[in-house]
């Protein structure tokens, strides 16, 4: 082991984005739970972006090995992924036009969408006829 690995071990989930030797964290959000954007091994998960929170007052170890940050990870806003996020009016899981939810995730006229994962869109007259 080199000096960096012995003296400054990387601890995923401690809220410090660290690197030591050939091991480097892409993110560290302060936990080791997957599915929240930063994986259990401190790698950025697909369809997420992670940014550093405000600097901390005290750093641990040499500044070239540690960031003074805790990462905040948020889902990337992707229209057509079936998850309504941000300013999306709907997201039916596809980019097909004229199916109730447009390729820009806005509600098509004469359609109504029920929130879900993905949203289910039907013509208003079909919904009224169904009861």
């Amino acid at each position: 082991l080199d000096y960096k690995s012995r003296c400054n071990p990387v601890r995923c989930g401690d809220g410090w984005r660290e690197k030591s030797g050939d091991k480097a964290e892409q993110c560290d959000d302060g936990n080791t739970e997957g599915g929240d954007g930063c994986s259990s091994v401190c790698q950025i998960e697909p369809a997420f972006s992670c940014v550093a929170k405000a600097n901390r007052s005290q750093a641990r170890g040499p500044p070239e090995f540690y960031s003074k940050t805790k990462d905040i990870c948020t889902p990337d806003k992707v229209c057509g992924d079936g998850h309504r996020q941000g300013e999306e009016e709907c997201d039916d899981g596809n980019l097909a036009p004229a199916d109730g939810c447009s390729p820009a995730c806005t509600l098509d006229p004469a359609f109504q969408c029920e929130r879900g994962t993905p949203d289910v869109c039907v013509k208003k007259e079909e919904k009224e006829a169904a009861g």
Side-chain angles (χ1 to χ4, degrees), residues 47 75-85 88 91 95 105:
D76 294 335
K77 295 175 184 170
V78 179
C79 180
D81 67 356
H83 300 276
R84 192 186 306 189
Q85 302 173 51
E88 294 178 342
D91 195 326
L95 299 175
C105 286

Side-chain angles (χ1 to χ4, degrees), residues 15-16 54-61 63 66-69:
W16 298 83
N55 284 349
R56 296 180 177 191
S57 60
Q58 296 178 346
R60 298 186 328 193
Y66 295 89
S67 70
K68 296 181 186 181
T69 61

Side-chain angles (χ1 to χ4, degrees), residues 4-5 8 15 18 30 35 46 51 62 64 86 90 96 99 106-107 115 129:
K4 291 181 241 174
S5 297
N8 300 303
E18 304 163 312
V51 295
E64 64 270 19
C90 56
D99 65 350
T106 58
L107 193 59
R115 190 173 197 115

